[in-house]
Amino acid sequence: MREDLFLGISEDDRNRMLGCLSSFTKKYIKGDIIDNFNFDSALAGYVIHGRCDLQKTDRNGNVTVIETYEQNDIFSRHLSFSDLSEDSFVVTATQNCEILFFDDKKLLSPCGNCCRSHIVMMNNILSSVLHRSERMAIKIELLSKKNTRDKILGYFELLSQKQQSKEIKLPVTIAEMANYLCVNRSAMTREIKKLKDENIIDINRKTVKLKN
């Protein structure tokens, strides 16, 4: 389970740290660009609620979802990359969301004002990064599947395990799912139709029922 950034930190210490870290909050609606990793941003973002994606767009306009950030996740150019290619890397809101921003250099360097609390926060950041690494490993496993059909079924099975049900709710749109699985949207739509015709799944809008 992901831990809150301020888990184990008193409210007084939390308020002092927010000032020390030059923090501020901002709300975004779905589709807004939250951060551009191609610039050397000095900010780290903490997702208070909602969801956003780190998306790569290549020279041909193809979009790939690199990472997804959900509630209690932290994102920062310096936490994700040491260097970037010439492709575009932006954090985009995929739901309405609220982000708490920090000066990431201050975030990663313990201060003298709340030393113990900063160490606790660093442990919470490590927990968040480890959770993201686990999600990335799952995504790599999905992408390693040999064809679009196996990627789709693997994704549905993953959601089934997470939701503990054979009837699952898709947390994303079909277009977002295609970007996440790095497959052509039209090809994925055709494959989903085949799976339905073969009575392997039933799908109604964003509800999918696995039949075996």
Side-chain angles (χ1 to χ4, degrees), residues 21-162:
L21 296 171
S22 305
S23 64
F24 62 94
T25 61
K26 191 170 180 180
K27 293 182 179 180
Y28 297 88
I29 62 174
K30 183 176 179 178
D32 282 351
I33 293 178
I34 298 172
D35 199 0
N36 189 331
F37 279 15
N38 291 86
F39 298 101
D40 192 13
S41 173
L43 296 176
Y46 170 70
V47 183
I48 298 174
H49 66 78
R51 189 180 72 239
C52 49
D53 286 345
L54 174 57
Q55 299 176 346
K56 183 187 81 167
T57 305
D58 64 22
R59 296 177 182 178
N60 297 318
N62 299 309
V63 177
T64 302
V65 175
I66 304 298
E67 289 188 281
T68 295
Y69 308 119
E70 300 175 333
Q71 185 177 19
N72 294 338
D73 279 337
I74 299 170
F75 61 85
S76 164
R77 180 188 191 279
H78 299 123
L79 287 174
S80 298
F81 298 101
S82 59
D83 196 11
L84 291 173
S85 68
E86 295 181 359
D87 295 329
S88 169
F89 290 82
V90 297
V91 179
T92 303
T94 53
Q95 294 178 348
N96 294 347
C97 56
E98 184 174 7
I99 308 296
L100 176 63
F101 288 101
F102 305 91
D103 181 320
D104 68 351
K105 292 182 181 178
K106 292 181 180 180
L107 184 67
L108 299 173
S109 301
C111 66
N113 294 331
C114 319
C115 185
R116 178 191 172 278
S117 297
H118 209 135
I119 291 172
V120 173
M121 178 183 280
M122 292 292 290
N123 287 334
N124 293 340
I125 292 172
L126 178 59
S127 174
S128 175
V129 172
L130 289 174
H131 181 81
R132 279 170 48 195
S133 297
E134 291 172 0
R135 293 208 310 260
M136 184 62 72
I138 291 171
K139 181 174 181 179
I140 290 171
E141 182 179 353
L142 283 174
L143 297 186
S144 69
K145 293 185 180 298
K146 60 183 180 180
N147 55 47
T148 299
R149 182 189 185 95
D150 288 346
K151 289 179 182 180
I152 294 168
L153 288 174
Y155 181 67
F156 288 163
E157 288 166 3
L158 177 66
L159 290 178
S160 177
Q161 292 173 13
K162 185 176 180 180

